Amino acid sequence: MNHMKKIILSFLFFSISLTSLNAQVKTPDEFLGYALGSRFTPHAQIVAYFKYLAGINKNIKLVDYGKTYENRDLMIAIISSKDNMDNLEQIRINNLKLSRAEKNANLNNQPAILWLSYNVHGNEASSSETSMKTLYTFAQSSVANTQDYLKNTVVIIDPCLNPDGRERYVNYFNSVSSNVPDANPSSREHTEPWPRGRVNHYYFDLNRDWAWQSQVETQQRVALYHLWMPEVHVDFHEQSYNDPYYFAPAAEPVHQDITPFQREFQITAGKNNAKYFDQNGWQYFTKERFDLLYPSYGDTYPLYNGSIGMTYEQGGISAGLAVKTASGDTLTLKDRINHHFTTSMATLETVSKNSAKLVSEFKLYFENSVASSPGIYKSYVVKADNLSRIKKLAGLLSKNHIDYAFGGEKTLNGFSFQHKKIASFKVGRNDLIINLKQPAAVLANVLFEPETKVTDSNTYDITAWALPYAYGLNAYAVKESVSGQYPAVEESPNSEATPVSPYAWVINWNSIEDAQVLIALQQANIKVRIAELTFTVAGKVYQPGSLLVYRAENEKSHKDLSNTINAIALKLNKSFAGVSSGFVDKGKDFGSSVYPLLSSPKVAVLAGSDVSSQGVGEVWHFFEQELKYPLNIISEQNLGNLDLATINVLILPDGSYAQKNIEKLEGWINQGGKIILMEDAISSVVGIKPFEIKKKEYPATSEKENRFISYGEKDKDNFEESIPGAIYKVNLDKTHPLSVGLGDVYYTLKTDGRLYEPLIKGWNVGLIKPNAFIAGVVGKNMKKKLDAGLLFGIQTVGKGNIIYLADDVLFRSFWESGKQLFVNSIFLTY
Ligand SMILES: [Zn+2]
């Protein structure tokens, strides 16, 4: 088919064809030296073309907003009419005032802001190609309608949200593609190797990261987003190439805090997209598959920030330059670009035609947020049970422009997240208070409400994420308006100088920062011990898990011990306690075996095609970006040659491992190796020596219990068995080092139905007990199964250990309390 003809047909309303445009401005084809869609364009070339257009057109402004982990440029182009560009800063500031419900915000002539985000998933690669055509077309003064649209619309174009992932895909594809594209779906052009280009450098899905902002790409982009707060945001994706095109309106479940106008405008935009698709006879679907619930997507996050957030999905993952689809047609990259270009243009038309309405509804959204917050609660109070985690939670709120304060002296009644009932509590000095009387009320409520209402069980992602559970902090949802009194937490004064010559120094352990203290001490070759039991010296009670540095034991090898320790304390902003005698008032004296030496972990994680890229990426990111501790990344074929001198801790992330590889580990474990099995890595070792873990088996569902579904329901998930992601309470053995810093309860995010039998010879540190369900969608049969069983356990084998962590304790790097469990498993278990 002649695609150029199609474009001309579908864009008669732009009254031009691409070939007849302003002669002195190079088209993408002219600039790149090949026809757009005939090959994939490297990221640097896309950036170069944007710079080229901005260099010759005063109505385009480029903004660099940072670098990726692999040092590629992140940037947006802003384009509008000359008048708007001359007043761009006023427009931006006025728009921000609207988003803060400020009284002096001006509605007159305020243009709507439309933000087009291309290629958040790197291997959905047609959209960055499209972005060049979009910006080129918007920039042409001869495209009359477009120039009219830009009079009341400011367009922000991000050509590529995930340059590292996209480049991984493009490099792979360009290096394997044949001279003539091979449309055969089983050719290697359509079989992308592990870890694939969807994800960023650390294998994080950036379309799950908007609210958490764990990745630099998201951190920098969302900071920029909050400087603009667009009225409309479109996130361009691709789906399976056997599917056609999806655009809004979205599928159920739609979160109840999404307003009637937001839902209605999705229909308006969808119908205008449909008009152009209908003209061409192109297939599409709406109201299916892509729901609006989980808050970290490129559609929901803008929606919870007052925008019209929408996802557009072209069929195209793994399609290369051309692929034979199930219906026998050949889908080309040029087709995919045309479809994304069509919705880009149609959306600009929709936004422009509704610009005044969009801006006034945007204003109303934030006025309503302040006047009457959504949901049944007016405030949330999070107890400062762990100062490190409460500060991190406050940091997360700041990144999302949610207002908060600390402390008060009130006694209140509220819904207890821990006990799931109304209880009375006293507000403490460092308790974090979020009053929903604020412009960001919707986002705050979505992130904190104890239970998310879900209207349909078919959902794309997790159904529970309430931050108090993720951070492992007690909290209360309160029906009255409570305000905090202080802008920051009160730190316990570091006035007590670290003692110079005690019998032993004592260090607390309840945060990642404390792990960094241990790391610094061990890196200085200082021997560190752990207190397995509570002890009392000079009237002061020290908790199990406290770290001890005995002076005499270390002085022999460290002439300057006291100075070294003091320097570490100062550098990490900690003060260490000191005890003057090894004679303990209560508990065991310091010569007892309950104060074992901690070894210095030499850690490796496995990577490769049997490993979940998300699983290994979360471990890698945590070690490099948070813990700042060396990590070896090794591949499976090297499991036979593990040397304890170089690796004494091995992490197997979620994955499916070959028995022959697992069997190689027995000797290494026996000699003193520690292996940490995460999520489904555990399934791979069941039945293999020396692993004693057993899956919990369930009786088969009887036919009576089996619900027979009608043909009309055939596309529904088997809801009875489903668990898209729900929160369960785990009872911890708080006397075990694995649970230090967490107390006796951990809230786990369960994304599968796996439980294990308690270990007969081992420590059962984390158990699910009956009625442990806290929040989220869980099918009836699945709920019955998840009644009781083991999630976290330790087995000793010879001189070594096996640690079982059955759930993802590093989930998307936002499940903060799980990081404590993970750090304990690396440093405190021996
Ligand atoms: Zn996608």
Side-chain angles (χ1 to χ4, degrees):
M1 271 181 247
N2 183 329
H3 301 293
M4 192 52 75
K5 216 167 163 187
K6 274 187 176 178
I7 302 167
I8 296 165
L9 270 176
S10 65
F11 285 102
L12 273 179
F13 73 107
F14 296 116
S15 57
I16 49 100
S17 85
L18 284 180
T19 48
S20 69
L21 288 170
N22 195 337
Q24 59 267 46
V25 180
K26 287 183 187 168
T27 64
D29 296 11
E30 287 162 355
F31 183 87
L32 297 168
Y34 52 83
L36 203 60
S38 65
R39 53 185 297 122
F40 285 104
T41 307
H43 182 253
Q45 281 292 93
I46 297 168
V47 171
Y49 186 59
F50 269 56
K51 285 184 176 166
Y52 162 75
L53 287 179
I56 54 174
N57 188 323
K58 289 201 178 72
N59 294 339
I60 299 175
K61 183 182 175 204
L62 292 191
V63 179
D64 285 327
Y65 68 86
K67 296 274 187 189
T68 67
Y69 284 114
E70 295 174 17
N71 208 37
R72 292 192 177 86
D73 291 327
L74 294 165
M75 61 161 210
I76 53 167
I78 306 168
I79 180 164
S80 194
S81 67
K82 184 178 181 306
D83 281 355
N84 287 336
M85 293 309 286
D86 287 346
N87 292 305
L88 193 61
E89 188 60 5
Q90 265 81 32
I91 290 169
R92 186 184 73 78
I93 288 169
N94 196 50
N95 195 64
L96 275 192
K97 284 180 182 171
L98 294 173
S99 77
R100 288 173 190 155
E102 286 180 20
K103 294 274 179 296
N104 61 348
N106 186 6
L107 272 186
N108 287 343
N109 298 322
Q110 175 71 14
I113 300 171
L114 164 64
W115 187 311
L116 303 174
S117 282
Y118 293 101
N119 231 134
V120 65
H121 290 145
N123 61 356
E124 300 170 5
S126 73
S127 60
S128 288
E129 306 290 341
T130 309
S131 73
M132 292 184 275
K133 186 164 166 178
T134 307
L135 184 61
Y136 171 77
T137 309
F138 287 2
Q140 293 316 300
S141 55
S142 53
V143 189
N145 285 339
T146 304
Q147 298 317 306
D148 279 346
Y149 298 152
L150 292 175
K151 283 178 188 160
N152 64 9
T153 309
V154 172
V155 183
I156 296 175
I157 298 178
D158 187 333
C160 189
L161 281 68
N162 178 12
D164 294 349
R166 187 176 194 280
E167 204 74 343
R168 192 181 308 130
Y169 175 78
V170 169
N171 268 330
Y172 137 76
F173 185 86
N174 287 344
S175 67
V176 302
S177 67
S178 306
N179 236 344
V180 177
D182 188 347
N184 177 358
S186 43
S187 76
R188 67 175 181 163
E189 291 181 20
H190 307 293
T191 315
E192 195 186 351
W194 192 93
R196 311 182 72 193
R198 174 185 178 89
V199 286
N200 78 340
H201 175 74
Y202 287 111
Y203 311 155
F204 272 63
D205 186 332
L206 297 182
N207 192 34
R208 301 291 182 276
D209 194 45
W210 280 74
W212 323 132
Q213 296 164 54
S214 71
Q215 303 300 295
V216 288
E217 292 87 355
T218 324
Q219 286 156 14
Q220 298 170 107
R221 188 181 64 253
V222 175
L224 183 72
Y225 182 95
H226 280 281
L227 291 176
W228 286 94
M229 295 291 278
E231 275 76 14
V232 178
H233 179 264
V234 182
D235 205 28
F236 288 86
H237 287 259
E238 290 189 273
Q239 54 185 339
S240 152
Y241 58 70
N242 286 320
D243 289 322
Y245 201 100
Y246 160 84
F247 44 75
E252 290 292 330
V254 173
H255 194 285
Q256 59 181 350
D257 291 352
I258 292 171
T259 65
F261 175 73
Q262 288 176 316
R263 290 170 182 246
E264 190 188 303
F265 199 84
Q266 283 213 335
I267 298 170
T268 306
K271 284 191 171 167
N272 200 42
N273 289 342
K275 186 174 103 186
Y276 295 105
F277 273 54
D278 288 346
Q279 282 174 8
N280 287 286
W282 296 336
Q283 292 179 41
Y284 56 89
F285 64 92
T286 66
K287 308 179 284 287
E288 283 184 68
R289 198 172 308 159
F290 301 100
D291 63 80
L292 299 175
L293 197 66
Y294 173 74
S296 260
Y297 293 135
D299 52 15
T300 48
Y301 187 83
L303 280 159
Y304 300 145
N305 280 283
S307 180
I308 311 297
M310 295 184 287
T311 293
Y312 292 175
E313 299 262 356
Q314 163 64 39
I317 296 176
S318 298
L321 293 178
V323 71
K324 194 74 102 191
T325 65
S327 62
D329 287 338
T330 299
L331 175 73
T332 65
L333 179 58
K334 288 181 183 177
D335 296 331
R336 291 150 63 197
I337 294 170
N338 283 344
H339 301 161
H340 267 342
F341 178 67
T342 301
T343 53
S344 299
M345 302 306 282
T347 304
L348 171 63
E349 184 185 31
T350 308
V351 170
S352 174
K353 287 188 170 163
N354 296 279
S355 176
K357 174 78 172 158
L358 279 163
V359 174
S360 65
E361 286 287 340
F362 187 72
K363 179 172 186 274
L364 202 60
Y365 180 92
F366 294 100
E367 287 169 353
N368 286 344
S369 293
V370 175
S372 63
S373 56
I376 55 171
Y377 301 112
K378 291 213 162 26
S379 317
Y380 293 99
V381 180
V382 188
K383 300 299 289 174
D385 298 332
N386 182 294
L387 208 56
S388 165
R389 292 206 292 274
I390 207 97
K391 285 197 289 189
K392 281 185 184 152
L393 180 54
L396 181 71
L397 300 184
S398 293
K399 285 197 281 190
N400 285 295
H401 295 243
I402 294 169
D403 298 333
Y404 59 87
F406 295 92
E409 264 120 54
K410 281 190 162 180
T411 298
L412 299 166
N413 281 318
F415 174 86
S416 158
F417 280 68
Q418 185 180 17
H419 301 294
K420 294 185 77 177
K421 62 180 185 199
I422 303 294
S424 167
F425 69 100
K426 205 172 161 347
V427 180
R429 167 62 184 84
N430 284 340
D431 293 353
L432 177 66
I433 299 171
I434 300 98
N435 188 320
L436 291 185
K437 199 175 172 56
Q438 60 167 300
V442 172
L443 182 62
N445 190 55
V446 169
L447 295 180
F448 278 90
E449 62 187 347
E451 186 114 34
T452 305
K453 210 172 253 165
V454 182
T455 53
D456 190 304
S457 63
N458 277 358
T459 173
Y460 218 63
D461 212 277
I462 60 171
T463 54
W465 51 77
L467 291 176
Y469 296 124
Y471 279 67
L473 296 165
N474 288 334
Y476 296 87
V478 182
K479 285 187 177 167
E480 60 186 283
S481 177
V482 191
S483 297
Q485 292 176 6
Y486 309 97
V489 296
E490 183 181 55
E491 306 267 1
S492 54
N494 269 357
S495 57
E496 266 180 72
T498 298
V500 176
S501 187
Y503 183 88
W505 288 272
V506 190
I507 300 142
N508 270 335
W509 181 275
N510 58 27
S511 70
I512 310 300
E513 295 75 47
D514 294 331
Q516 281 158 343
V517 172
L518 171 62
I519 290 167
L521 291 168
Q522 288 185 330
Q523 281 172 349
N525 288 318
I526 291 170
K527 290 177 182 159
V528 184
R529 293 171 176 271
I530 178 173
E532 288 186 328
L533 303 173
T534 308
F535 64 93
T536 307
V537 177
K540 204 173 161 193
V541 182
Y542 296 89
Q543 296 303 320
S546 298
L547 304 185
L548 291 154
V549 175
Y550 294 177
R551 181 173 50 78
E553 179 172 68
N554 283 291
E555 240 168 11
K556 283 177 209 152
S557 51
H558 288 82
K559 283 194 187 112
D560 219 10
L561 182 65
S562 184
N563 280 341
T564 308
I565 287 188
N566 201 33
I568 290 171
L570 278 177
K571 189 176 165 215
L572 297 171
N573 197 25
K574 291 271 167 187
S575 71
F576 303 160
V579 291
S580 56
S581 168
F583 188 93
V584 164
D585 302 339
K586 263 191 206 160
K588 308 255 185 184
D589 293 333
F590 284 179
S592 162
S593 64
V594 303
Y595 303 98
L597 267 177
L598 291 173
S599 63
S600 190
K602 298 175 193 110
V603 190
V605 67
L606 212 62
S609 55
D610 292 346
V611 190
S612 142
S613 60
Q614 178 182 337
V616 66
E618 286 166 352
V619 171
W620 185 18
H621 176 260
F622 181 71
F623 270 82
E624 286 198 340
Q625 297 295 327
E626 290 201 55
L627 201 56
K628 305 195 189 304
Y629 195 72
L631 175 72
N632 295 282
I633 302 177
I634 62 169
S635 51
E636 253 181 326
Q637 60 260 36
N638 292 326
L639 281 186
N641 341 314
L642 287 188
D643 176 5
L644 271 174
T646 51
I647 292 169
N648 58 19
V649 177
L650 174 67
I651 300 166
L652 298 198
D654 187 27
S656 174
Y657 300 92
Q659 179 166 351
K660 65 176 193 323
N661 288 321
I662 296 297
E663 281 167 346
K664 291 175 191 164
L665 295 168
E666 189 179 2
W668 176 81
I669 299 171
N670 261 309
Q671 288 158 31
K674 172 160 80 182
I675 182 163
I676 300 172
L677 299 158
M678 300 180 77
E679 303 177 75
D680 219 15
I682 300 175
S683 303
S684 300
V685 306
V686 170
I688 302 176
K689 259 180 75 183
F691 303 91
E692 285 184 12
I693 194 89
K694 285 193 179 72
K695 271 188 191 163
K696 213 177 153 193
E697 299 295 346
Y698 306 100
T701 313
S702 76
E703 264 182 43
K704 257 187 201 165
E705 283 175 275
N706 238 330
R707 188 177 61 102
F708 291 101
I709 60 165
S710 68
Y711 185 73
E713 294 173 297
K714 70 186 166 59
D715 289 334
K716 288 242 161 200
D717 291 340
N718 182 359
F719 173 59
E720 270 74 2
E721 296 290 339
S722 80
I723 175 162
I727 299 172
Y728 274 77
K729 183 160 100 179
V730 181
N731 286 79
L732 296 176
D733 172 359
K734 71 172 180 181
T735 69
H736 195 281
L738 190 58
S739 53
V740 176
L742 289 167
D744 48 17
V745 165
Y746 172 76
Y747 297 98
T748 197
L749 181 70
K750 270 220 91 34
T751 55
D752 63 41
R754 289 185 200 90
L755 283 178
Y756 296 88
E757 294 290 351
L759 297 162
I760 296 162
K761 285 182 276 175
W763 302 112
N764 297 295
V765 183
L767 291 165
I768 283 201
K769 296 187 172 165
N771 302 315
F773 169 76
I774 294 283
V777 169
V778 185
K780 196 177 65 193
N781 293 347
M782 181 53 73
K783 222 173 213 171
K784 272 189 213 156
K785 288 180 184 174
L786 290 174
D787 186 40
L790 176 78
L791 281 178
F792 309 128
I794 297 196
Q795 178 197 343
T796 301
V797 177
K799 290 182 189 163
N801 279 300
I802 299 162
I803 301 185
Y804 302 101
L805 302 177
D807 284 344
D808 186 359
V809 294
L810 299 176
F811 188 79
R812 295 179 189 163
S813 190
F814 87 94
W815 212 261
E816 277 304 324
S817 54
K819 291 175 186 171
Q820 183 73 60
L821 201 59
F822 187 62
V823 156
N824 293 350
S825 75
I826 291 158
F827 290 96
L828 296 195
T829 61
Y830 36 83

